[in-house]
Amino acid sequence: MTEEQLQIRDLARDFAEGELRPHAEEWDREAHFPREIIQKLGELGFLGMLLPEEYDGLGLDTSTYLMALEEIARGDASVAVAMSVHNSLPTQMILAHGSEEQKERWLKPMARGEMLGGFALSEADAGSDAAALAAQARKVDGGWILNGTKAWITNGGFGDVMVCMCRTDTPENRRGAKGIGAFIVPTNTEGYVVGKKEDKMGQRASETVGIAFQEMFVPDAQLLGDPSMGFIYALQGLDGGRLGIAALATGIAQSALEHSLRYADERRQFGTAIREFQGMQFKLADMATRIEAGRSLVQRAAQAKDAGEKVSRLSSMAKLFASEGAMYVTTQAVQVFGGYGYVKEYPVERLFRDAKVTEIYEGASEIQRTVIARELYR
């Protein structure tokens, strides 16, 4: 790592240790973290890491961003997923496909943490088959009228601006994936309705809601790029988004390993620390090895992305391996703690719950395996 990367990693680590980890249990219990955390992330530059300096970002490479994201996830995965979605999807989609006016209007406040971004693609009947979405955009003078619903939206009510995918084709002339547009929608837009906040198993402090568009007018100036290419833009964004989730999962797993190492050194049975038993040593060794392998795969994919290579296969591999690795590591961490691992007084119970969703959101493990296999044949 360069000196700059080390400084950024240490800054993220200090923030996670001082501002996140001490409160993670409370935020999990209350299913909420304070908005001030987003403001602090913005002040430190963590919400504009991949944006050029001309838009008030830091202009950093993907590897450095993912290093910082892993450290934030070590402190609290709920804060990390808000940071990941913001950095990987709405900001990058606007940067890649927005007009200069759109970049000036939206990216600068997003980089500074004045606006938190989100991404609305999934629907109740269009999860893994996201191209089957039904939310409809109807062209009118000066803009579009949006109607429909979205499900499982991170930052959907807590955030300030969403990039939303809706059909721009007509019911009489459906064009599949080529009939979907992407729209930049402030969450205070009339007709933007926040639905039920989901009561989740893990990452509880991260807000996940359903949203509805009810005759919501969006001006032409907030259409992102080509009105028929929104789904393609979303897929391109998800390549980066999956790397974010892979780094987040690695951070969860790293935290679980650190707690396990300390506990195995302190806990004594049969007159000795349990870390002296071969069965425990094998368990800890396997946990550490999976984390290191996942981290290396994340960095391999990040380097390919920064080099301009197509990264669908590598990002899916990283997301698949790191998320399943996090589930393995946190399961073993609960086992290391024994009965204590099963109670909320100890942190590995929360980390176990936080890890599970990394195998599901931004493309379930089954979808990642499908993407990888298709890319192998290409």
Side-chain angles (χ1 to χ4, degrees):
M1 290 188 288
T2 66
E3 186 64 32
E4 181 184 40
Q5 286 178 320
L6 286 169
Q7 290 174 352
I8 291 170
R9 185 201 63 182
D10 291 346
L11 178 63
R13 180 171 293 177
D14 291 344
F15 181 77
E17 291 290 342
E19 301 283 349
L20 303 182
R21 185 174 272 186
H23 308 290
E25 181 182 344
E26 175 189 354
W27 294 343
D28 175 78
R29 186 170 57 250
E30 295 179 353
H32 175 77
F33 65 82
R35 180 65 189 228
E36 290 75 24
I37 292 298
I38 297 299
Q39 295 170 349
K40 290 179 181 179
L41 285 172
E43 291 167 3
L44 293 171
F46 290 134
L47 296 182
M49 298 189 74
L50 299 174
L51 293 175
E53 293 181 10
E54 63 187 289
Y55 302 118
D56 293 345
L58 298 182
L60 296 171
D61 59 277
T62 308
S63 296
T64 305
Y65 157 63
L66 295 176
M67 243 180 262
L69 182 59
E70 179 187 331
E71 294 297 332
I72 297 299
R74 281 179 65 249
D76 184 40
S78 292
V79 174
V81 74
M83 173 180 162
S84 175
V85 169
H86 173 96
N87 275 290
S88 303
L89 291 161
T91 54
Q92 290 305 294
M93 291 175 70
I94 295 171
L95 179 65
H97 306 292
S99 66
E100 191 56 40
E101 291 75 16
Q102 288 172 334
K103 294 175 186 178
E104 282 286 334
R105 179 179 177 185
W106 304 107
L107 292 184
K108 287 185 176 181
M110 293 175 83
R112 295 191 296 260
E114 296 164 8
M115 283 186 170
L116 180 65
F119 173 79
L121 174 64
S122 295
E123 298 179 6
D125 294 322
S128 294
D129 183 14
L133 66 87
Q136 184 70 50
R138 182 177 80 252
K139 189 71 180 79
V140 296
D141 288 342
W144 302 76
I145 300 292
L146 274 56
N147 283 284
T149 60
K150 296 291 177 181
W152 311 298
I153 307 303
T154 300
N155 303 338
F158 188 68
D160 304 286
V161 59
M162 308 293 294
V163 174
C164 305
M165 271 51 68
C166 292
R167 305 213 69 88
T168 51
D169 55 12
T170 64
E172 299 77 26
N173 183 29
R174 287 300 190 210
R175 299 182 58 215
K178 293 295 183 70
I180 296 170
F183 298 86
I184 305 169
V185 180
T187 57
N188 62 359
T189 302
E190 184 177 357
Y192 182 99
V193 180
V194 179
K196 181 186 73 169
K197 181 178 178 180
E198 302 294 349
D199 187 9
K200 299 179 298 182
M201 173 194 293
Q203 297 189 21
R204 289 174 47 78
S206 167
E207 177 198 70
T208 303
V209 298
I211 59 176
F213 312 136
Q214 298 178 353
E215 288 293 301
M216 182 176 69
F217 176 74
V218 177
D220 284 326
Q222 290 169 215
L223 172 67
L224 188 61
D226 188 318
S228 67
M229 293 291 287
F231 186 71
I232 308 305
Y233 300 159
L235 291 184
Q236 293 168 354
L238 282 168
D239 280 343
R242 287 166 179 165
L243 287 180
I245 299 307
L248 185 156
T250 303
I252 295 172
Q254 181 66 36
S255 183
L257 175 62
E258 291 166 2
H259 286 296
S260 298
L261 289 170
R262 282 194 292 270
Y263 184 79
D265 189 45
E266 295 167 359
R267 174 71 167 167
R268 303 185 71 81
Q269 291 288 277
F270 306 103
T272 189
I274 63 173
R275 72 181 183 89
E276 299 295 339
F277 298 118
Q278 187 180 67
M280 183 60 64
Q281 292 171 350
F282 284 4
K283 192 181 296 294
L284 295 170
D286 287 344
M287 293 162 70
T289 300
R290 294 208 188 194
I291 293 169
E292 198 63 45
R295 182 180 291 120
S296 297
L297 188 51
V298 169
Q299 288 299 315
R300 164 73 179 92
Q303 290 163 7
K305 188 175 187 298
D306 288 333
E309 299 175 25
K310 189 176 187 300
V311 295
S312 296
R313 177 176 61 87
L314 285 173
S315 65
S316 287
M317 285 179 169
K319 200 268 190 185
L320 172 67
F321 191 88
S323 63
E324 294 193 346
M327 199 66 231
Y328 172 85
V329 170
T330 55
T331 300
Q332 296 308 309
V334 171
Q335 199 73 11
V336 169
F337 276 71
Y340 291 123
Y342 201 65
V343 298
K344 291 183 181 293
E345 182 182 350
Y346 289 80
V348 292
E349 179 270 344
R350 171 176 49 82
L351 295 169
F352 173 88
R353 291 186 286 106
D354 285 348
K356 181 56 195 172
V357 75
T358 66
E359 297 182 309
I360 299 172
Y361 58 19
E362 294 204 30
S365 293
E366 291 77 9
I367 294 299
Q368 304 312 319
R369 287 184 165 90
T370 299
V371 170
I372 293 164
R374 286 177 179 172
E375 290 295 320
L376 289 174
Y377 278 99
R378 287 178 181 171

